[in-house]
Amino acid sequence: MKKMALKFELVTPARLERSADVHMVTVPGTEGDFSVLEGHAPFMATLRNGPLTIYAAAGAAPEVIEVEGGFAEVNEAGLTVLAEHIAG
């Protein structure tokens, strides 16, 4: 059985920064970090300033993007992170 990829989008007020199919994303939530895989239950969370960690594939080296504020939404379409600002 093939594992489905997680649809991931990172958006800032300026533009769509990233849109990709990934294995997992770890998000810096205000209530603590949380990781999202394909099929995660729907929910929303606010973000704290911190590292958004993207794993393109299982076992792959992570890519880290520093985010500042915003929120994350997980739904049947995937994970969308709306960040107020990203470093870089």
Side-chain angles (χ1 to χ4, degrees):
M1 184 172 131
K2 182 180 182 301
K3 266 219 36 98
M4 297 295 296
L6 171 69
K7 302 266 186 220
F8 166 66
E9 289 193 339
L10 174 59
V11 183
T12 63
R15 67 179 189 264
L16 174 63
E17 299 285 344
R18 180 73 50 91
S19 180
D21 287 350
V22 300
H23 172 66
M24 182 176 76
V25 179
T26 300
V27 182
T30 52
E31 302 294 317
D33 292 359
F34 59 92
S35 295
V36 180
L37 292 156
E38 168 61 25
H40 197 291
F43 78 104
M44 290 184 72
T46 53
L47 303 184
R48 63 175 167 75
N49 297 354
L52 180 76
T53 309
I54 304 159
Y55 297 86
E63 175 186 0
V64 177
I65 300 172
E66 290 292 324
V67 296
E68 295 177 9
F71 66 94
E73 179 180 10
V74 180
N75 60 32
E76 55 282 345
L79 166 65
T80 302
V81 174
L82 302 161
E84 292 171 12
H85 182 76
I86 63 171

